[in-house]
Amino acid sequence: QVQLQEAGPGLVKPSQTLSLTCTVSGGSISSGNYYWSWIRQPAEKGLEWIGRMYTSGSTNYNPSLKSRVTISLDASKNQFSLKLSSVTAADTAVYYCARDTHLDYWGQGTLVTVSS
Amino acid sequence: QAVVTQEPSLTVSPGGTVTLTCGSSTGAVTSGHWPYWFQQKPGQAPKTLIYDTSNKHSWTPARFSGSLLGGKAALTLSGAQPEDEADYYCLLSYSGARVFGGGTKLTVL
């Protein structure tokens, strides 16, 4: 059974970089033809797709976030990560990681608050 | 960036049938948008019900089905149960990038 778990600081100051990791267990992140995605959800609002990385290293990003987002894979740790630069209060949200292709497995989500 | 539209809210009676739709600002939704449908209950991560228009995961109840209807993606719930009360989101793909709809709050009453 594949499981995903997000981790990272719960509080980030405005203008700084938000960094999250997603640890995958129950399967290798570099085997199979999978995308690995990040999705977020502000409180009481809808879902927003952030982006995804294929096991080959190719990426797709939300155009509205593209200038600030980097998604990367670390096969040695079986993790993938999200970096979002120059954050503002509008980036406060629950951040989810998910195994893409069919978005079959999701992490439980982690709340990141942007505040000074 | 495309805008994906859903009904903000719908109500269905227990045992009844309801169809949720998912439209695109760029025109008709096709299978090439690889439509997804998700169910989200309060405090929980979303759960994928339907992928690629009409494909179900092993955990998707048989009463849920996906299709294309009138230029939109559609999620039909036949025989609604109280536990189906939740928020439902669709997701469309646009040449690699993906966009979520605003979500539909489904009430079973």
Side-chain angles (χ1 to χ4, degrees):
Chain A
Q1 176 78 351
V2 175
Q3 293 184 314
L4 290 83
Q5 179 67 60
E6 305 89 350
L11 182 64
V12 181
K13 288 182 166 50
S15 80
Q16 293 190 341
T17 295
L18 179 160
S19 295
L20 295 174
T21 59
C22 181
T23 300
V24 179
S25 58
S28 170
I29 198 171
S30 56
S31 68
N33 299 319
Y34 296 118
Y35 282 95
W36 300 94
S37 292
W38 287 97
I39 293 148
R40 70 181 182 179
Q41 185 173 35
E44 305 303 318
K45 294 189 177 180
L47 299 167
E48 182 177 28
W49 184 80
I50 298 172
R52 63 181 183 174
M53 170 167 267
Y54 194 54
T55 48
S56 66
S58 65
T59 54
N60 301 112
Y61 294 133
N62 183 327
S64 67
L65 299 171
K66 187 174 183 177
S67 63
R68 299 195 290 131
V69 173
T70 302
I71 296 174
S72 59
L73 251 65
D74 187 340
S76 66
K77 296 181 179 179
N78 225 36
Q79 292 178 338
F80 62 108
S81 65
L82 169 70
K83 291 188 186 301
L84 181 65
S85 64
S86 305
V87 297
T88 69
D91 295 309
T92 294
V94 174
Y95 285 76
Y96 295 101
C97 61
R99 188 174 82 169
D100 205 326
T101 301
H102 298 142
L103 287 166
D104 47 2
Y105 294 105
W106 292 63
Q108 65 186 24
T110 187
L111 174 63
V112 179
T113 301
V114 179
S115 175
S116 55
Chain B
Q1 177 167 279
V3 175
V4 177
T5 55
Q6 298 182 244
E7 298 86 359
S9 63
L10 290 170
T11 299
V12 62
S13 300
T17 297
V18 64
T19 297
L20 290 66
T21 67
C22 177
S24 172
S25 63
T26 62
V29 175
T30 70
S31 58
H33 289 98
W34 310 103
Y36 279 68
W37 289 95
F38 306 88
Q39 178 191 68
Q40 187 179 34
K41 296 182 178 180
Q44 297 183 14
K47 181 185 294 186
T48 308
L49 295 175
I50 300 289
Y51 63 94
D52 298 350
T53 305
S54 59
N55 292 293
K56 299 181 185 183
H57 282 297
S58 59
W59 53 79
T60 304
R63 59 186 181 274
F64 289 95
S65 63
S67 64
L68 295 176
L69 195 65
K72 295 183 178 183
L75 176 71
T76 299
L77 170 57
S78 303
Q81 301 297 310
E83 60 265 30
D84 298 329
E85 185 162 294
D87 293 327
Y88 291 83
Y89 294 91
C90 68
L91 176 73
L92 300 179
S93 293
Y94 298 86
S95 299
R98 294 178 167 200
V99 182
F100 279 98
T104 296
K105 184 175 186 63
L106 182 66
T107 300
V108 180
L109 189 61

